[in-house]
Amino acid sequence: MHYLYLAVIAAVILGVIVGFAAPDFAAGLKPLGSGFVSLIKMMISPIIFCTIVLGIGSVAKAAKVGRVGMLALGYFLIMSTFALAIGLVVGNVLHPGAGLRLDPADAAAVQQQAGEGEGTVDFLLGVIPESLLSAFTEGSVLQTLLVALLAGFALQKLGAAGQPILRGIEHIQRLVFRILAMIMWVAPVGAFGAIAAVVGETGWAALKSLAVIMLGFYATCLLFIFGVLGAVLWLGARVNIFSLLRYLGREFLLIVSTSSSESALPRLIAKMEHLGVSRPVVGITVPTGYSFNLDGTAIYLTMATLFIATAQGSPLGVGEQISLLVFMIIASKGAAGVSGAGIATLAGGLQSHRPELVDGVGFILGIDRFMSEARALTNFAGNAVATVLIGSWTGELDRTQSRRVLAGHDPFNEATLVDEHKDPEPERAKDAVPA
C-alpha cells in the first residue's frame, strides 16, 4: 500500500507535466478523474449505512445517540460561524478584487448555477427518500443517514432478536471496505486524469490574475486549521493537531488529487474508529459533518463575496457584512444539498441576498477548481477534529488506543480498512503507551 501512494504522488506530478505540455490532450483526460471519484461515491452510502446501524444498534440507550447528535450539531454551528467570521476579517485586510474590473461576459454561465440553490423547505423535504432503498441509489448522504438512523433504532428496540441482523451487517461492512480497498488501486489513474485536465484547461492565466484571493484563501484556511481547530482540539481533547493530520496524511493526498473531500469519507470513518472513537460517535458525527460542518466552504463563501463586491465597485459596509455573515451561516448549511457546493452555493446565496452581485461569480470560475482543493481539505480537517472532540466530550474516546495510533505503535490496516481493536485481548493493556 505504500507503493500505491507513491504512485499517486508520481501521477500528480506527471499530470501537471502533461497538462502544460499538451493542454488539449490533457483536457480530454478529465473522465479519468471523474470516474475514480464516482467509484468512491458509489461506496459512501453502504459504508455510512453499515457504520451507523452497527453503532446505534449496539448502544443500550437511545438517549445516548441523541445526546451525541445534538452536541455535534451545536459544535458545527459554532465552528461554521467562526470560519465565516475569519473569512470576513481576512477579506477586509486583503481587500481582494481591488483595482479589478469584472467582465460581465461570464455571467451567463453562473445564472444556471444560481438556479440550482434549494430553499429551506425543499432541502428538508429532500432528506426524505422516495423509498427505503432509493436512499442508496440517489447518492444523498442525508437520505442514507435518515434510513440508517431508523434501522439502527429499530434494531435497538429488537434487542436480542436483532443480534443476528447486526452480525450480518457487520459482515457486509467488511465486504464493502474490501471493495473500497480494491478501488483504491485505481487512485493513481484518477489523480493523473484530474490534475492533467485542470492544468490543461486553466494553465497559469487565471492564477496570475487572481493570485491575491487564491493565496489569501489558502492562508486563511491554514490559519483556521492550525490556529482555531488546533487550539480547540488541544483544549477539548488534549490531542495535537499535527499528530492527527499526520495520521490522516494519505487521505489529504487523496483529496488533493481528486479535489473532493467525499473521496476520503469512507477512509475517515474507518480511521476514526481505529483511532479509538466509538462507532456511534463516528457513525453520527462524520456523515452529519459532511453536510453541516463545511468550514472550508464557509470561509470561501465570505471571501469570494467580498472579492466580487469589491471588484464590481460596490464594497460592502460593516452592517452589510454582518447581515451577510448571518445569511451565509444558514446558506452554508444547505451546501450539501446543492450540486457543486462551492460555486453553486455562492451563486445561489447571492441570488437570494444580493442579486446584483451574481454576475461577478463568473469571474472566479477559472480558479474555482484550485480553491476547491483548499475547501475540501479544510472541510475534511474540520470533520476529523469534530469527531475526536465529540468522542472526548462524550467519554467515547479510547485514549490509550488514540495514543498508540498517533505514536505509530498501532498502524491502520490499509489492506482491509476495517478496525479490529474493538475487542481487545486482556493482555492488550500491557502494551499501552503511557501518556
Side-chain angles (χ1 to χ4, degrees), residues 84-211:
L84 289 162
I86 289 176
L88 285 180
V89 171
V90 175
N92 280 281
V93 172
L94 294 180
H95 297 292
L100 292 177
R101 183 173 297 175
L102 296 186
D103 183 4
D106 293 327
V110 179
Q111 296 300 329
Q112 182 179 358
Q113 297 269 25
E116 295 179 8
E118 292 183 339
T120 303
V121 176
D122 293 334
F123 174 72
L124 293 176
L125 290 177
V127 176
I128 305 174
E130 293 184 2
S131 69
L132 195 64
L133 298 179
S134 65
F136 300 97
T137 59
E138 293 293 328
S140 171
V141 172
L142 289 180
Q143 289 184 1
T144 306
L145 178 62
L146 175 62
V147 173
L149 286 172
L150 294 174
F153 284 122
L155 285 173
Q156 192 180 71
K157 290 295 184 181
L158 287 175
Q163 290 303 311
I165 301 177
L166 280 176
R167 286 195 295 271
I169 294 177
E170 187 170 5
H171 289 304
I172 293 175
Q173 184 192 48
R174 292 176 182 273
L175 172 63
V176 169
F177 274 115
R178 177 64 71 174
I179 295 174
L180 177 65
M182 294 166 60
I183 292 175
M184 289 305 300
W185 284 101
V186 193
V189 178
F192 169 73
I195 296 296
V198 71
V199 174
E201 292 175 351
T202 308
W204 290 107
L207 297 182
K208 292 179 181 178
S209 62
L210 300 171

Side-chain angles (χ1 to χ4, degrees), residues 67-93:
R67 182 164 55 92
V68 171
M70 294 302 297
L71 184 60
L73 288 175
Y75 170 82
F76 295 158
L77 179 62
I78 294 173
M79 294 310 295
S80 294
T81 305
F82 263 103
L84 289 162
I86 289 176
L88 285 180
V89 171
V90 175
N92 280 281
V93 172

Side-chain angles (χ1 to χ4, degrees), residues 289-340:
Y290 263 69
S291 296
F292 293 97
N293 189 35
L294 305 174
D295 298 327
T297 302
I299 295 172
Y300 171 83
L301 290 173
T302 50
M303 291 192 66
T305 301
L306 291 178
F307 167 79
I308 292 169
T310 304
Q312 286 189 319
S314 56
L316 302 176
V318 177
E320 289 180 304
Q321 291 184 27
I322 294 176
S323 65
L324 172 69
L325 174 65
V326 175
F327 176 81
M328 287 300 185
I329 290 174
I330 301 172
S332 64
K333 298 308 174 191
V338 180
S339 177

Side-chain angles (χ1 to χ4, degrees), residues 5 103 107 164 241:
Y5 288 92
D103 183 4
I241 185 70

